[in-house]
Each structure stands twice: as structure tokens, then as C-alpha cells.
Amino acid sequence: MSPKQKSAAGSSHASPSVERREHLYKILVIGELGTGKTSIIKRYVHQFFSQHYRATIGVDFALKVLNWDANTIIRLQLWDIAGIYLSGSIANNN
Ligand SMILES: Nc1nc2c(ncn2[C@@H]2O[C@H](COP(=O)(O)OP(=O)(O)OP(=O)(O)O)[C@@H](O)[C@H]2O)c(=O)[nH]1
Ligand SMILES: [Mg+2]
């Protein structure tokens, strides 16, 4: 039995104590109108890209789950904020 197999067999006795960890990160994606925020999120989460532009209204939301290693899951909450609120009259309403 190789050292690796021994340690795997050894750890199976302790399996109830193997801790599965989950980390949650909330990521706000901000930038001006039409700079590609929605595109990069869709490409990253859904492996999808379109040249068709449709402005985000308000906020969109996507979740990316990464199996980091055998015991660790990472969840990325991606908040896709509409760029229109950063530019023009809505941001400068004084
Ligand atoms: N060629 C090219 N076009 C891109 C790229 N990223 C985004 N685009 C195009 O740029 C336009 C705007 O992209 P969006 O991702 O909708 O921009 P946004 O930042 O979400 O815009 P708002 O929702 O209005 O804030 C779309 O027509 C996309 O297809 C890129 O890397 N290359
Ligand atoms: Mg958008």
C-alpha cells in the first residue's frame, strides 16, 4: 500500500470529523453604462457571450459555485449593478 493509500484509509476512520467548508463572497460589479459588466458575468457564470446590448435595469444577480477542493465550496454572489445609475442625471440629482 502506498503512503497515499495508507493515509486515505486512515482518514476514513475519522470521516465524521472531516469538515466541509463553505465560503460565501458577495461581489458588486460596478462601472459606467455599456462597459461590459453583464457580459463578463454571463461569460464567467454561463459561458455565454452576445454582441446584443441590453442595458441592465436596477440590479441583476448571478451565482458562481466553485468546488475549490474536496472539502471546500466557494460561492460567489455577483451583483450586476446597472451602469446608468453611475452616469448622468440619476447619480447627480442635486
Ligand atoms: N467586442 C466586445 N464587445 C463586448 C465585450 N464586452 C462587452 N461587449 C459588448 O458591449 C456591450 C455592452 O455590454 P454589457 O455587458 O451589456 O454592458 P454593461 O456594463 O452591463 O451595461 P449596463 O447594464 O448598461 O450598465 C454589448 O453589446 C456587449 O456585447 C468584449 O469584451 N468585447
Ligand atoms: Mg448590464
Side-chain angles (χ1 to χ4, degrees), residues 4-65:
K4 202 171 178 183
Q5 285 171 319
K6 271 185 205 159
S7 72
S11 68
S12 71
H13 292 292
S15 61
S17 67
V18 171
E19 207 181 312
R20 278 184 72 79
R21 285 167 297 182
E22 285 193 24
H23 299 277
L24 175 67
Y25 295 93
K26 296 178 183 177
I27 299 166
L28 294 186
V29 182
I30 60 169
E32 288 185 4
L33 199 73
T35 48
K37 301 178 296 295
T38 300
S39 298
I40 203 166
I41 291 170
K42 284 203 168 137
R43 179 66 183 80
Y44 183 51
V45 176
H46 304 295
Q47 294 78 46
F48 170 83
F49 175 76
S50 165
Q51 293 201 336
H52 177 70
Y53 173 50
R54 216 173 60 195
T56 303
I57 307 295
V59 62
D60 273 346
F61 171 85
L63 181 69
K64 174 81 175 177
V65 180

